[in-house]
């Protein structure tokens, strides 16, 4: 699946293990990297498990139309499906908090 990012800075952040580790610590950074690999390998969202460890699930409320997968027990990677077949996704935050782009 193709992964898109809202901003170039966000893409740079997610592709840098150093920046991820600095922001979230080594355990969460490794988990984010692992989940992004899961998304890249999958053809579409149907190939991502709805059971742990990934636990793909649709979100409601202000994140209606978005999906989340577990990174750790209490951290989620939140993204939108971009096309109707869910072959592309747009990552925009971790654990419900938009990443502070100004801090890069």
């Amino acid at each position: 699946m193709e992964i898109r990012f809202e901003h170039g800075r966000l893409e740079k952040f997610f592709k840098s293990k150093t920046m991820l580790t600095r922001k979230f610590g080594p355990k969460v950074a490794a988990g984010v990297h692992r989940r992004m690999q899961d998304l890249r390998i999958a053809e579409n969202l149907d190939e991502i498990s709805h059971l742990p460890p990934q636990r793909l699930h649709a979100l409601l409320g202000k994140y209606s139309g978005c999906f989340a997968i577990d990174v750790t027990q209490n951290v989620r990677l939140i993204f939108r499906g971009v096309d109707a077949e869910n072959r592309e996704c747009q990552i925009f935050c971790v654990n419900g908090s938009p990443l502070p782009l100004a801090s890069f």
Side-chain angles (χ1 to χ4, degrees), residues 3 14 18 37 93:
I3 297 176
F14 272 99
T18 304
Q37 283 297 107
C93 66

Side-chain angles (χ1 to χ4, degrees), residues 62-82:
K62 78 177 194 179
Y63 291 108
S64 182
C66 298
F67 299 93
I69 52 177
D70 291 355
V71 173
T72 64
Q73 196 170 27
N74 60 353
V75 176
R76 314 282 178 271
L77 182 62
I78 301 173
F79 59 94
R80 294 180 191 98
V82 175

Side-chain angles (χ1 to χ4, degrees), residues 10-22:
L10 196 58
E11 181 174 6
K12 182 179 176 184
F13 177 81
F14 272 99
K15 289 185 176 182
S16 169
K17 202 162 193 173
T18 304
M19 290 176 127
L20 282 170
T21 303
R22 192 177 305 143

Side-chain angles (χ1 to χ4, degrees), residues 22-79:
R22 192 177 305 143
K23 173 76 175 161
F24 299 112
K27 183 178 179 182
V28 173
V32 167
H33 182 71
R34 194 170 38 252
R35 294 299 169 244
M36 287 183 54
Q37 283 297 107
D38 293 344
L39 289 171
R40 279 190 198 100
I41 291 169
E43 285 277 324
N44 57 43
L45 290 180
D46 291 334
E47 293 183 9
I48 303 292
S49 175
H50 290 72
L51 302 172
Q54 291 107 340
R55 202 176 69 86
L56 172 71
H57 53 282
L59 300 175
L60 304 171
K62 78 177 194 179
Y63 291 108
S64 182
C66 298
F67 299 93
I69 52 177
D70 291 355
V71 173
T72 64
Q73 196 170 27
N74 60 353
V75 176
R76 314 282 178 271
L77 182 62
I78 301 173
F79 59 94

